[in-house]
Amino acid sequence: MGRPPQADGNISVRTVEPMPGYADLITRSCSALLSAFNECRGCGFELSKRTLLENAILTWSDIVLFAVCALGWTVLRQALSAYIFRVSECLTAHFKQSHN
């Protein structure tokens, strides 16, 4: 609808700031994040890092287990991707033959 007229009959007009571009948005958000990160020493990332270093005890078996799981996940993804593409090729070939 619009803004109602003021007492003297004039309509007040506000200027609207244009939408920032993606580069401006990313620049502003990164600078705000970095300033918050630099100002906060007893909270957030610094506290998490300190707590992890004080309380986490990693053994070689933990590291090996992580590496085996990461390798297993990668192999599983590759095998499933190959299977899916093989099945889709078979279905495409079957579909083309049935319509010819």
Side-chain angles (χ1 to χ4, degrees), residues 51-66:
T51 305
L52 183 66
L53 290 174
E54 290 172 1
N55 298 317
I57 300 170
L58 292 176
T59 62
W60 282 107
S61 61
D62 297 328
I63 295 169
V64 169
L65 179 64
F66 174 77

Side-chain angles (χ1 to χ4, degrees), residues 31-51:
S31 65
L33 184 64
L34 284 174
S35 68
F37 179 72
N38 289 332
E39 292 173 2
C40 185
R41 291 289 176 214
C43 60
F45 181 73
E46 188 66 30
L47 180 62
S48 298
K49 184 174 125 182
R50 234 181 334 178
T51 305

Side-chain angles (χ1 to χ4, degrees), residues 75-88:
V75 169
L76 181 66
R77 280 187 323 157
Q78 287 178 345
L80 286 174
S81 295
Y83 175 75
I84 288 171
F85 283 114
R86 200 173 326 118
V87 168
S88 68

